[in-house]
mmCIF file of all heavy atoms in Angstrom:
data_model
loop_
_atom_site.group_PDB
_atom_site.id
_atom_site.type_symbol
_atom_site.label_atom_id
_atom_site.label_comp_id
_atom_site.label_asym_id
_atom_site.label_seq_id
_atom_site.Cartn_x
_atom_site.Cartn_y
_atom_site.Cartn_z
ATOM 1 N N VAL A 1 3.992 -0.700 2.915
ATOM 2 C CA VAL A 1 4.810 -0.776 4.134
ATOM 3 C C VAL A 1 3.923 -0.736 5.375
ATOM 4 O O VAL A 1 4.070 -1.546 6.290
ATOM 5 C CB VAL A 1 5.837 0.371 4.168
ATOM 6 C CG1 VAL A 1 6.583 0.389 5.494
ATOM 7 C CG2 VAL A 1 6.826 0.225 3.012
ATOM 8 N N ALA A 2 2.988 0.221 5.419
ATOM 9 C CA ALA A 2 2.115 0.358 6.586
ATOM 10 C C ALA A 2 1.273 -0.898 6.801
ATOM 11 O O ALA A 2 1.105 -1.363 7.936
ATOM 12 C CB ALA A 2 1.211 1.580 6.419
ATOM 13 N N ALA A 3 0.753 -1.464 5.711
ATOM 14 C CA ALA A 3 -0.083 -2.660 5.817
ATOM 15 C C ALA A 3 0.720 -3.864 6.300
ATOM 16 O O ALA A 3 0.253 -4.648 7.134
ATOM 17 C CB ALA A 3 -0.731 -2.962 4.467
ATOM 18 N N ALA A 4 1.940 -4.018 5.787
ATOM 19 C CA ALA A 4 2.781 -5.149 6.183
ATOM 20 C C ALA A 4 3.110 -5.078 7.675
ATOM 21 O O ALA A 4 3.014 -6.081 8.400
ATOM 22 C CB ALA A 4 4.065 -5.159 5.356
ATOM 23 N N LEU A 5 3.477 -3.893 8.164
ATOM 24 C CA LEU A 5 3.833 -3.753 9.572
ATOM 25 C C LEU A 5 2.617 -3.916 10.475
ATOM 26 O O LEU A 5 2.711 -4.476 11.567
ATOM 27 C CB LEU A 5 4.492 -2.387 9.809
ATOM 28 C CG LEU A 5 6.017 -2.352 9.675
ATOM 29 C CD1 LEU A 5 6.470 -2.771 8.289
ATOM 30 C CD2 LEU A 5 6.563 -0.956 9.995
ATOM 31 N N GLN A 6 1.466 -3.446 10.002
ATOM 32 C CA GLN A 6 0.242 -3.586 10.798
ATOM 33 C C GLN A 6 -0.227 -5.043 10.848
ATOM 34 O O GLN A 6 -0.563 -5.555 11.920
ATOM 35 C CB GLN A 6 -0.861 -2.705 10.206
ATOM 36 C CG GLN A 6 -2.141 -2.660 11.048
ATOM 37 C CD GLN A 6 -3.192 -1.758 10.413
ATOM 38 O OE1 GLN A 6 -3.532 -1.904 9.241
ATOM 39 N NE2 GLN A 6 -3.723 -0.820 11.199
ATOM 40 N N ASP A 7 -0.233 -5.726 9.708
ATOM 41 C CA ASP A 7 -0.727 -7.102 9.662
ATOM 42 C C ASP A 7 0.157 -8.066 10.431
ATOM 43 O O ASP A 7 -0.323 -9.069 10.968
ATOM 44 C CB ASP A 7 -0.853 -7.562 8.205
ATOM 45 C CG ASP A 7 -2.042 -6.923 7.492
ATOM 46 O OD1 ASP A 7 -2.805 -6.201 8.165
ATOM 47 O OD2 ASP A 7 -2.197 -7.117 6.276
ATOM 48 N N HIS A 8 1.448 -7.786 10.498
ATOM 49 C CA HIS A 8 2.365 -8.657 11.235
ATOM 50 C C HIS A 8 2.491 -8.243 12.708
ATOM 51 O O HIS A 8 3.295 -8.831 13.442
ATOM 52 C CB HIS A 8 3.749 -8.646 10.578
ATOM 53 C CG HIS A 8 3.830 -9.468 9.320
ATOM 54 N ND1 HIS A 8 3.904 -10.845 9.332
ATOM 55 C CD2 HIS A 8 3.821 -9.108 8.013
ATOM 56 C CE1 HIS A 8 3.952 -11.297 8.095
ATOM 57 N NE2 HIS A 8 3.901 -10.259 7.260
ATOM 58 N N GLY A 9 1.717 -7.258 13.123
ATOM 59 C CA GLY A 9 1.769 -6.816 14.505
ATOM 60 C C GLY A 9 3.065 -6.137 14.883
ATOM 61 O O GLY A 9 3.404 -6.035 16.063
ATOM 62 N N ARG A 10 3.791 -5.626 13.879
ATOM 63 C CA ARG A 10 5.071 -4.976 14.146
ATOM 64 C C ARG A 10 4.911 -3.516 14.527
ATOM 65 O O ARG A 10 5.816 -2.913 15.102
ATOM 66 C CB ARG A 10 5.977 -5.079 12.907
ATOM 67 C CG ARG A 10 6.682 -6.389 12.782
ATOM 68 C CD ARG A 10 7.688 -6.587 13.914
ATOM 69 N NE ARG A 10 8.745 -5.582 13.861
ATOM 70 C CZ ARG A 10 8.941 -4.651 14.774
ATOM 71 N NH1 ARG A 10 8.153 -4.536 15.825
ATOM 72 N NH2 ARG A 10 9.946 -3.783 14.642
ATOM 73 N N ALA A 11 3.794 -2.920 14.184
ATOM 74 C CA ALA A 11 3.599 -1.503 14.475
ATOM 75 C C ALA A 11 2.119 -1.191 14.600
ATOM 76 O O ALA A 11 1.278 -1.841 13.972
ATOM 77 C CB ALA A 11 4.221 -0.636 13.376
ATOM 78 N N LEU A 12 1.815 -0.203 15.427
ATOM 79 C CA LEU A 12 0.482 0.366 15.484
ATOM 80 C C LEU A 12 0.409 1.512 14.485
ATOM 81 O O LEU A 12 1.383 2.237 14.279
ATOM 82 C CB LEU A 12 0.170 0.878 16.890
ATOM 83 C CG LEU A 12 0.033 -0.203 17.970
ATOM 84 C CD1 LEU A 12 -0.088 0.439 19.353
ATOM 85 C CD2 LEU A 12 -1.178 -1.087 17.695
ATOM 86 N N VAL A 13 -0.739 1.670 13.843
ATOM 87 C CA VAL A 13 -0.920 2.710 12.831
ATOM 88 C C VAL A 13 -1.759 3.837 13.422
ATOM 89 O O VAL A 13 -2.843 3.602 13.962
ATOM 90 C CB VAL A 13 -1.583 2.150 11.560
ATOM 91 C CG1 VAL A 13 -1.869 3.271 10.562
ATOM 92 C CG2 VAL A 13 -0.695 1.092 10.913
ATOM 93 N N VAL A 14 -1.246 5.064 13.313
ATOM 94 C CA VAL A 14 -1.893 6.263 13.839
ATOM 95 C C VAL A 14 -2.156 7.231 12.693
ATOM 96 O O VAL A 14 -1.360 7.321 11.751
ATOM 97 C CB VAL A 14 -1.004 6.941 14.909
ATOM 98 C CG1 VAL A 14 -1.619 8.264 15.368
ATOM 99 C CG2 VAL A 14 -0.798 6.020 16.103
ATOM 100 N N GLY A 15 -3.260 7.974 12.758
ATOM 101 C CA GLY A 15 -3.531 9.014 11.767
ATOM 102 C C GLY A 15 -4.875 8.852 11.107
ATOM 103 O O GLY A 15 -5.900 8.692 11.775
ATOM 104 N N GLN A 16 -4.888 8.880 9.774
ATOM 105 C CA GLN A 16 -6.113 8.778 8.994
ATOM 106 C C GLN A 16 -6.001 7.652 7.977
ATOM 107 O O GLN A 16 -4.897 7.243 7.609
ATOM 108 C CB GLN A 16 -6.384 10.089 8.242
ATOM 109 C CG GLN A 16 -6.734 11.264 9.131
ATOM 110 C CD GLN A 16 -6.807 12.564 8.354
ATOM 111 O OE1 GLN A 16 -5.868 13.336 8.345
ATOM 112 N NE2 GLN A 16 -7.927 12.825 7.699
ATOM 113 N N ARG A 17 -7.158 7.179 7.525
ATOM 114 C CA ARG A 17 -7.177 6.129 6.503
ATOM 115 C C ARG A 17 -6.423 6.582 5.262
ATOM 116 O O ARG A 17 -6.561 7.719 4.802
ATOM 117 C CB ARG A 17 -8.622 5.803 6.133
ATOM 118 C CG ARG A 17 -8.767 4.553 5.274
ATOM 119 C CD ARG A 17 -10.231 4.308 4.969
ATOM 120 N NE ARG A 17 -10.459 2.971 4.469
ATOM 121 C CZ ARG A 17 -11.667 2.483 4.165
ATOM 122 N NH1 ARG A 17 -12.734 3.246 4.331
ATOM 123 N NH2 ARG A 17 -11.798 1.254 3.722
ATOM 124 N N SER A 18 -5.612 5.686 4.712
ATOM 125 C CA SER A 18 -4.759 6.034 3.572
ATOM 126 C C SER A 18 -5.562 6.179 2.283
ATOM 127 O O SER A 18 -6.767 5.929 2.237
ATOM 128 C CB SER A 18 -3.652 4.990 3.410
ATOM 129 O OG SER A 18 -4.213 3.722 3.115
ATOM 130 N N PHE A 19 -4.870 6.549 1.222
ATOM 131 C CA PHE A 19 -5.520 6.920 -0.041
ATOM 132 C C PHE A 19 -6.200 5.742 -0.751
ATOM 133 O O PHE A 19 -7.265 5.879 -1.329
ATOM 134 C CB PHE A 19 -4.486 7.552 -0.973
ATOM 135 C CG PHE A 19 -5.045 8.036 -2.277
ATOM 136 C CD1 PHE A 19 -5.703 9.247 -2.347
ATOM 137 C CD2 PHE A 19 -4.912 7.281 -3.431
ATOM 138 C CE1 PHE A 19 -6.232 9.704 -3.554
ATOM 139 C CE2 PHE A 19 -5.432 7.725 -4.637
ATOM 140 C CZ PHE A 19 -6.089 8.944 -4.693
ATOM 141 N N GLY A 20 -5.537 4.578 -0.753
ATOM 142 C CA GLY A 20 -6.106 3.426 -1.440
ATOM 143 C C GLY A 20 -5.659 3.283 -2.880
ATOM 144 O O GLY A 20 -6.457 3.007 -3.767
ATOM 145 N N LYS A 21 -4.348 3.463 -3.126
ATOM 146 C CA LYS A 21 -3.807 3.273 -4.469
ATOM 147 C C LYS A 21 -2.973 2.000 -4.449
ATOM 148 O O LYS A 21 -1.789 2.023 -4.158
ATOM 149 C CB LYS A 21 -2.958 4.489 -4.869
ATOM 150 C CG LYS A 21 -2.701 4.615 -6.381
ATOM 151 C CD LYS A 21 -1.602 3.696 -6.855
ATOM 152 C CE LYS A 21 -1.283 3.899 -8.319
ATOM 153 N NZ LYS A 21 -0.292 2.936 -8.830
ATOM 154 N N GLY A 22 -3.601 0.885 -4.775
ATOM 155 C CA GLY A 22 -2.913 -0.397 -4.731
ATOM 156 C C GLY A 22 -2.936 -1.095 -6.070
ATOM 157 O O GLY A 22 -3.218 -2.296 -6.151
ATOM 158 N N SER A 23 -2.624 -0.371 -7.137
ATOM 159 C CA SER A 23 -2.662 -0.970 -8.473
ATOM 160 C C SER A 23 -1.274 -0.987 -9.087
ATOM 161 O O SER A 23 -0.426 -0.154 -8.782
ATOM 162 C CB SER A 23 -3.623 -0.192 -9.389
ATOM 163 O OG SER A 23 -3.242 1.152 -9.486
ATOM 164 N N VAL A 24 -1.052 -1.970 -9.973
ATOM 165 C CA VAL A 24 0.238 -2.174 -10.638
ATOM 166 C C VAL A 24 0.088 -1.823 -12.112
ATOM 167 O O VAL A 24 -0.812 -2.332 -12.780
ATOM 168 C CB VAL A 24 0.717 -3.641 -10.502
ATOM 169 C CG1 VAL A 24 2.090 -3.812 -11.117
ATOM 170 C CG2 VAL A 24 0.697 -4.084 -9.052
ATOM 171 N N GLN A 25 0.953 -0.935 -12.623
ATOM 172 C CA GLN A 25 0.908 -0.566 -14.036
ATOM 173 C C GLN A 25 2.094 -1.182 -14.791
ATOM 174 O O GLN A 25 3.218 -1.165 -14.287
ATOM 175 C CB GLN A 25 0.953 0.958 -14.210
ATOM 176 C CG GLN A 25 -0.364 1.654 -13.941
ATOM 177 C CD GLN A 25 -0.692 1.754 -12.469
ATOM 178 O OE1 GLN A 25 0.171 2.065 -11.656
ATOM 179 N NE2 GLN A 25 -1.941 1.463 -12.113
ATOM 180 N N ASN A 26 1.805 -1.722 -15.974
ATOM 181 C CA ASN A 26 2.843 -2.222 -16.867
ATOM 182 C C ASN A 26 2.921 -1.320 -18.101
ATOM 183 O O ASN A 26 1.924 -0.727 -18.512
ATOM 184 C CB ASN A 26 2.546 -3.655 -17.320
ATOM 185 C CG ASN A 26 3.113 -4.682 -16.348
ATOM 186 O OD1 ASN A 26 3.707 -4.332 -15.339
ATOM 187 N ND2 ASN A 26 2.906 -5.954 -16.645
ATOM 188 N N ILE A 27 4.112 -1.231 -18.683
ATOM 189 C CA ILE A 27 4.315 -0.483 -19.926
ATOM 190 C C ILE A 27 4.281 -1.471 -21.080
ATOM 191 O O ILE A 27 5.102 -2.390 -21.159
ATOM 192 C CB ILE A 27 5.660 0.265 -19.911
ATOM 193 C CG1 ILE A 27 5.692 1.284 -18.762
ATOM 194 C CG2 ILE A 27 5.908 0.961 -21.234
ATOM 195 C CD1 ILE A 27 4.679 2.389 -18.891
ATOM 196 N N LEU A 28 3.309 -1.320 -21.981
ATOM 197 C CA LEU A 28 3.132 -2.222 -23.120
ATOM 198 C C LEU A 28 3.436 -1.451 -24.407
ATOM 199 O O LEU A 28 2.834 -0.399 -24.666
ATOM 200 C CB LEU A 28 1.691 -2.754 -23.149
ATOM 201 C CG LEU A 28 1.204 -3.400 -21.847
ATOM 202 C CD1 LEU A 28 -0.270 -3.777 -21.953
ATOM 203 C CD2 LEU A 28 2.035 -4.626 -21.509
ATOM 204 N N ASP A 29 4.368 -1.964 -25.186
ATOM 205 C CA ASP A 29 4.817 -1.276 -26.402
ATOM 206 C C ASP A 29 3.744 -1.255 -27.484
ATOM 207 O O ASP A 29 3.016 -2.233 -27.697
ATOM 208 C CB ASP A 29 6.070 -1.957 -26.962
ATOM 209 C CG ASP A 29 7.301 -1.666 -26.125
ATOM 210 O OD1 ASP A 29 7.244 -0.733 -25.311
ATOM 211 O OD2 ASP A 29 8.307 -2.378 -26.273
ATOM 212 N N LEU A 30 3.678 -0.125 -28.177
ATOM 213 C CA LEU A 30 2.882 0.031 -29.392
ATOM 214 C C LEU A 30 3.783 0.666 -30.448
ATOM 215 O O LEU A 30 4.740 1.359 -30.111
ATOM 216 C CB LEU A 30 1.678 0.953 -29.145
ATOM 217 C CG LEU A 30 0.635 0.492 -28.122
ATOM 218 C CD1 LEU A 30 -0.413 1.587 -27.938
ATOM 219 C CD2 LEU A 30 -0.041 -0.797 -28.550
#
């Protein structure tokens, strides 16, 4: 959300650099 609003110039971001968890997990049956 923060990245989308910042990249589109919809909002200024204040505070500290975020955590950096941008991964997608899938559940694979065994």
Side-chain angles (χ1 to χ4, degrees):
V1 174
L5 269 60
Q6 186 179 52
D7 286 355
H8 284 284
R10 279 294 297 114
L12 292 172
V13 175
V14 175
Q16 292 172 261
R17 191 180 195 178
S18 63
F19 183 80
K21 198 281 184 185
S23 58
V24 184
Q25 282 75 43
N26 272 1
I27 299 296
L28 307 175
D29 287 345
L30 297 175

